[in-house]
């Protein structure tokens, strides 16, 4: 009797464990920010699972989570500029898989989206855009180049259900020869600017000197004129005998001053 009870207890325990396993295998939890792609006997179902708890057919159903949050990946590459300079690029991409495209992406690409689609498309986009600019323009028009690459990359991946949220150029790497040429150009520009500034400064100084010389010349001329006038007056006074002229005027207006002297 005791043996029979023990056997029944063991059987009940096994049944309970199997029931628990069946129950747990029939529950699928889809985490927040992801979409669940359902595979039943290896067949991918068209209807995805949203985040939360779902009941599925035990043992024959599995759920693959596709991350729909904004993610980041860095891509390095090497491109040729319009003037045939070799440029090494280091870029950062913020991308997102659209939830309504999760099933399509998993069916057509699988889970390795980065290596199959995104990184090759990014490298091709970078090469295509940089080929339209000179190496020097890659420095002066960095934001414009970044915007153009983002636009082209979006066009390449949007059909797969991937959208590019942001694209940034982290670094451009140039050859030593180009870096030296840029440094030499900057030095020449700085020297030219300094020469121009020196020229303007000397020009202003010369103008100031000319103005000062003209002012001094005018002052000296006025001073000389005053001295000349005083000399003439002194000479006239030295030669004057103290007598007034007898007559002044001319023609019919002659005035005899001889009587006034008496």
């Amino acid at each position: 009797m005791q043996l029979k009870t023990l056997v029944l207890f063991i059987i009940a325990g096994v049944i309970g464990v199997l029931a628990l396993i069946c129950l747990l295998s029939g529950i699928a939890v889809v985490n927040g920010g992801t979409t669940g792609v359902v595979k039943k006997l290896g067949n991918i179902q068209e209807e995805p699972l949203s985040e939360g708890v779902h009941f599925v057919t035990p043992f024959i159903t599995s759920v693959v989570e596709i991350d729909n949050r904004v993610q980041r990946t860095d891509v390095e590459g090497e491109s040729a500029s319009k003037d045939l300079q070799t440029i090494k690029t280091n870029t950062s991409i913020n991308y997102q898989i659209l939830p309504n495209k999760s099933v399509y992406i998993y069916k057509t690409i699988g889970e390795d989206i980065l290596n199959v689609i995104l990184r090759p498309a990014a490298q091709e986009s970078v090469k295509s855009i940089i080929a339209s600019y000179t190496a020097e323009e890659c420095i002066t028009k960095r934001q414009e180049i970044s915007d153009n690459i983002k636009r082209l990359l979006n066009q390449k991946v949007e059909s797969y259900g991937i959208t590019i949220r942001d694209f940034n150029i982290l670094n451009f790497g140039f050859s030593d020869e180009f870096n030296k040429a840029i440094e030499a150009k900057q030095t020449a520009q700085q020297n030219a600017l300094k020469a121009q500034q020196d020229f303007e400064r000397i020009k202003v100084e010369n103008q100031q000197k000319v103005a000062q010389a003209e002012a001094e010349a005018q002052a000296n001329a006025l001073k000389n004129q005053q001295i000349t006038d005083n000399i003439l007056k002194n000479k006239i006074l030295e030669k004057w005998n103290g007598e007034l002229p007898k007559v002044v005027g001319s023609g019919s207006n002659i005035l005899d001053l001889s009587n006034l002297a008496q």
Side-chain angles (χ1 to χ4, degrees), residues 52-160:
V53 179
H54 302 270
F55 293 97
V56 297
T57 305
F59 303 114
I60 64 171
T61 303
S62 61
V63 177
V64 178
E65 288 185 276
I66 302 297
D67 197 338
N68 302 123
R69 294 169 295 184
V70 175
Q71 303 175 72
R72 169 180 169 170
T73 185
D74 293 348
V75 179
E76 295 183 353
E78 192 172 281
S79 306
S81 64
K82 187 177 180 179
D83 52 349
L84 302 181
Q85 291 287 336
T86 300
I87 303 175
K88 294 182 179 180
T89 57
N90 185 9
T91 60
S92 173
I93 306 169
N94 290 345
Y95 69 97
Q96 184 179 22
I97 300 172
L98 300 178
N100 62 339
K101 292 288 187 178
S102 296
V103 174
Y104 172 76
I105 287 178
Y106 187 78
K107 287 178 68 174
T108 57
I109 303 172
E111 297 182 73
D112 195 8
I113 299 169
L114 290 180
N115 293 321
V116 176
I117 294 297
L118 191 57
R119 284 175 179 161
Q123 290 173 339
E124 178 60 28
S125 298
V126 170
K127 290 180 179 180
S128 178
I129 296 301
I130 287 184
S132 303
Y133 293 86
T134 64
E136 188 172 351
E137 287 174 335
C138 287
I139 300 174
T140 60
K141 298 181 179 180
R142 184 170 181 149
Q143 187 59 52
E144 178 183 319
I145 293 173
S146 179
D147 293 341
N148 289 339
I149 294 174
K150 177 185 176 183
R151 188 179 304 108
L152 181 58
L153 180 57
N154 249 324
Q155 293 173 1
K156 288 181 177 293
V157 301
E158 63 182 357
S159 61
Y160 296 98

